[in-house]
Each structure stands twice: as structure tokens, then as C-alpha cells.
């Protein structure tokens, strides 16, 4: 089994934690809202023979320190900029970007605005996700709300029927160990994300993968996004039957195989 | 099964009382009354110490929130065809939750259990 190594690096004057694994062309992977990079362990190990993956915990998530004032980022463009700064320090000036859910949206955004991005693999990625009300977002840090309880059924309804037991358990752990202010910031970024006008700026290969049992980032939303990627040289959309909102966690081997097929086709 | 009628909700209340998981999750919640509105039909319900009961009459005093929507969407929730979260999602769903948002969140685990029980109930009736 390939070794995964954790390190700290300074980004914007704060210690950011990331994990790296493998050798080869660089891939930066982004976790889902409110979670952390361990979601990607299975994919990291599966790709280690051909790719060098870097997986940061966003500020205030996992082992990364929050920003000044114990703040987390709350805007997709701000998170994308932080990721560029992280990659500039750790990865260099050329990498493949991938991510899931909010991370999928961010992958598409970075593919549009960051010339250092060679290709994007967006799992459950969409360019417009107005799926949370401001009231719901505000309540996430209310003193009388426990997200551990209030979010559990919602979150687990997003997990596909073919998720591995380990993936399902870690998804549940993600809710049990939630950091409300981190979750709130990410879902503000997700709920307010509208990068539709930028999709025609994407000029690198894009893989859109969709866990077919995900009702939140629906197939229709992903297909609409695909329709706006009019200038990308290669766009593939791959359905993942039996999987839900967290394919990389639910079935890392399937996701890794899918990525390798795409990378081969794109000459990456 | 007419999910708009009182008969269904009486059966659901009885099934809820026999479900240990539902009673366990609801037992930790504060007492809370809420309204279910299916098209023009309304049913008032209350969780109190883990027990679900129907409230008599139409007095909305003490009702903390309501869940409203068309019968077609309610049928999907009650049969388990779609998750409750999808049905009430601002983008994807056709049910609307109005009222005291904190009460809604406090009751969320119990409500998920209730729709699990309703799916079992409807399935049982359907196959019976």
C-alpha cells in the first residue's frame, strides 16, 4: 500500500495541512463541504503508481488552522484563490484539479480561471447549486442547533446504495465530527455558487462524473453544466450507478479507474 | 391508500408508537406540535416524550411549524420514493416548511424516522 504523508505548509500566514501520495504528474484534490482530505485516501493509493496527489484540508477543516479570527472561507472564488496559493507553494505551476460536490464546483471554477490547471475532474460538480436557503445556512451555527443530529439523515440520504461499508462509515463520521463554522462557510459557498458565465472560459479537458443516486447535485444539473463547457477540448460525462454524492469516498477504486481512463484519453 | 384522510394518519400514529427507533429519537426532542398539509387537507400532530399523537380540532395555537405541499409530492415522501430532504429542498422539492425554524431542526431526526415508518406502513398495506 502506498504511503500517505501529512505535512504542514504556510498559506496566507497560517498553517495549512495537506497529505500527499504517489509519484508522477500532480493532482490537487478538494474535499466536500465541511469535511477533510481523508476522504481521498482510497483514490490517492489507487493512483499512487502514476500520479502524485496533494490533498489539503481547507482552512478551519481537519488539521488546517482557521484563518485570522477563527474564520473559514465562505465564497467559491475566495476558496479557489486560496487553493491557487496553496498549489503555488506546494505543487508548482501545473496540475490536474479534482474535487467533489463543492470541490467539484471549485474544480470547474479553477479550470476556468487558473492557467496552471491542466484538466479538471469534477465529481458531482455543477456550475450553479442554489440548494440551501440563507435561513438554513444561518442556523448551522445557532447555539441551539446540533448539526451532528440535524444533518445526519440528510447527509446519509446522499450516500449511494453501492457505497463500501468503510465509505459509508466515514461519511457518517464526517457528520459526527462536523465543525459547524466550517460546514456553514462551505455551504454558503456552495449554495451561492453561480459560475455559469465562466464555463465558456474552460479550455482544458474536463471529466464530469455523477453518482446516479445523488439527489442534491442532480444529473440534470451536471448535464446543464456540461452544455456550457463549449470551449473545452474534451468533455466526458460518466454516470456512476449505485453511487451517491461522495463517489471518491463511496467507491474509490471505481473513481480511480474512471480517472485513469480519462487521463489516458486526454493524454495526461 | 388515501394519505390525505384521517384513517391513514391514525394508522401512522399507531405504527409510530410501535417503532422503538422512532420513539427513541423523538424522546430526546422537546414537545412539539406541527401541521401536515396535503393539498387542502390538514392534520395536526404532536411529538411528546417520544410519542406521536394526533391533535383534535383545527386550533393552530401551539403549532410550531407546518409542512405543506401537493399530494403527489407527499406520496413520494410517505412511500419512501424520495428522501424527505429532497422533498423540502428549496431547489429540488415541492414541500414547503414554514414556521419556527429551530423547532423544525429539533424535530428533524424524529421526522425522518416517521417517514421511514410511513414507507413501511404503506408497503405493508400495499402487499397485504
Amino acid at each position: 500500500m502506498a504511503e500517505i504523508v501529512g505535512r504542514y505548509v504556510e498559506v496566507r500566514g497560517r498553517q495549512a495541512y495537506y497529505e500527499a501520495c504517489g509519484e508522477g504528474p500532480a493532482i490537487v484534490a478538494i474535499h466536500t463541504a465541511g469535511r477533510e482530505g481523508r476522504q481521498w485516501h482510497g483514490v490517492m493509493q489507487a493512483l499512487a503508481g502514476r500520479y502524485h496527489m496533494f490533498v489539503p484540508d481547507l482552512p478551519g477543516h481537519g488539521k488546517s488552522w482557521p484563518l485570522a479570527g477563527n474564520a473559514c472561507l465562505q465564497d467559491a472564488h475566495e476558496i479557489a484563490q486560496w487553493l491557487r496559493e496553496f498549489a503555488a507553494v506546494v505543487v508548482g505551476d501545473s496540475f490536474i484539479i479534482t474535487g467533489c460536490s463543492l470541490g467539484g464546483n471549485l474544480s470547474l471554477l479553477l479550470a476556468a480561471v487558473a492557467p496552471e490547471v491542466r484538466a479538471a475532474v469534477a465529481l458531482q460538480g455543477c456550475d450553479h447549486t442554489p440548494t440551501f436557503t440563507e435561513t438554513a445556512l444561518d442556523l448551522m451555527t445557532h447555539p441551539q442547533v446540533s448539526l451532528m443530529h440535524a444533518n445526519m439523515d440528510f447527509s446519509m440520504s446522499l450516500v449511494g446504495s453501492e457505497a463500501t461499508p468503510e465509505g459509508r462509515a466515514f461519511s457518517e463520521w464526517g457528520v459526527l465530527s462536523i465543525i459547524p463554522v466550517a460546514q456553514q462557510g462551505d455551504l454558503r459557498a456552495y449554495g451561492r455558487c453561480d459560475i455559469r458565465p465562466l464555463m465558456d472560459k474552460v479550455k482544458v479537458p474536463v471529466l464530469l462524473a455523477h453518482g446516479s443516486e445523488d439527489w442534491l447535485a442532480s444529473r440534470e444539473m451536471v448535464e446543464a453544466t456540461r452544455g456550457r463547457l463549449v470551449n473545452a477540448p474534451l468533455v466526458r460525462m460518466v454516470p456512476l450507478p449505485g453511487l451517491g454524492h461522495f463517489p471518491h469516498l463511496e467507491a474509490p477504486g471505481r473513481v480511480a479507474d474512471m480517472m485513469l481512463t480519462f487521463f489516458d484519453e486526454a493524454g495526461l | 391508500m388515501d394519505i390525505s384522510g384521517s384513517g391513514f394518519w391514525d394508522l401512522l400514529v399507531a405504527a409510530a408508537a410501535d417503532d422503538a427507533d422512532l420513539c427513541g429519537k423523538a424522546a430526546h426532542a422537546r414537545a412539539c406540535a406541527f401541521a401536515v398539509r396535503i393539498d387542502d387537507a390538514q392534520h395536526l400532530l404532536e411529538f411528546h416524550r417520544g410519542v406521536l399523537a394526533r391533535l383534535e380540532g383545527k386550533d393552530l395555537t401551539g403549532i410550531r411549524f407546518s409542512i405543506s405541499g401537493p399530494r403527489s409530492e407527499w406520496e413520494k415522501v410517505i412511500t419512501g420514493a424520495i428522501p424527505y430532504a429532497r422533498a423540502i429542498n428549496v431547489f429540488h422539492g415541492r414541500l414547503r416548511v414554514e414556521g419556527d425554524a429551530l423547532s423544525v431542526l429539533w424535530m428533524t431526526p424524529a421526522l425522518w424516522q416517521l417517514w421511514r415508518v410511513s414507507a413501511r406502513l404503506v408497503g405493508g398495506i400495499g402487499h397485504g
Side-chain angles (χ1 to χ4, degrees), chain A residues 136-181:
Chain A
L137 294 167
D138 290 344
L139 282 169
M140 288 179 177
T141 50
H142 190 285
Q144 295 181 35
V145 170
S146 166
L147 286 186
M148 183 179 94
H149 295 290
N151 259 23
M152 181 60 80
D153 295 290
F154 157 74
S155 188
M156 295 309 291
S157 79
L158 297 172
V159 178
S161 58
E162 294 182 16
T164 63
E166 296 80 10
R168 182 173 293 276
F170 195 67
S171 188
E172 188 172 295
W173 179 250
V175 183
L176 293 172
S177 60
I178 209 160
I179 300 171
V181 69

Side-chain angles (χ1 to χ4, degrees), chain A residues 41-224:
Chain A
H41 275 192
V43 175
M44 292 170 85
Q45 288 175 330
L47 295 181
R50 284 184 53 186
Y51 292 91
H52 193 174
M53 284 192 75
F54 300 85
V55 186
D57 292 343
L58 291 173
H61 300 62
K63 293 182 179 178
S64 284
W65 261 252
L67 301 175
N70 281 340
C72 293
L73 297 164
Q74 305 191 33
D75 174 84
H77 294 272
E78 291 178 2
I79 301 172
Q81 181 57 35
W82 186 92
L83 285 161
R84 292 186 74 180
E85 292 170 28
F86 163 81
V89 174
V90 174
V91 181
D93 59 1
S94 176
F95 57 89
I96 299 163
I97 190 77
T98 187
C100 184
S101 184
L102 170 63
N105 295 17
L106 289 165
S107 298
L108 294 166
L109 172 54
L110 282 162
V113 303
E116 60 270 31
V117 168
R118 301 174 62 199
V121 177
L123 310 178
Q124 315 310 117
C126 308
D127 58 7
H128 186 218
T129 46
T131 49
F132 292 90
T133 66
E134 294 298 323
T135 299
L137 294 167
D138 290 344
L139 282 169
M140 288 179 177
T141 50
H142 190 285
Q144 295 181 35
V145 170
S146 166
L147 286 186
M148 183 179 94
H149 295 290
N151 259 23
M152 181 60 80
D153 295 290
F154 157 74
S155 188
M156 295 309 291
S157 79
L158 297 172
V159 178
S161 58
E162 294 182 16
T164 63
E166 296 80 10
R168 182 173 293 276
F170 195 67
S171 188
E172 188 172 295
W173 179 250
V175 183
L176 293 172
S177 60
I178 209 160
I179 300 171
V181 69
Q183 173 87 338
Q184 182 183 53
D186 287 351
L187 290 182
R188 279 202 175 114
Y190 187 74
R192 297 171 181 172
C193 181
D194 184 0
I195 52 174
R196 289 175 290 182
L198 292 172
M199 289 301 94
D200 65 358
K201 304 287 192 291
V202 175
K203 296 177 181 174
V204 295
V206 176
L207 170 60
L208 298 165
H210 182 253
S212 302
E213 295 183 7
D214 179 11
W215 60 264
L216 185 64
S218 67
R219 179 174 54 84
E220 291 77 9
M221 293 162 74
V222 177
E223 286 179 343

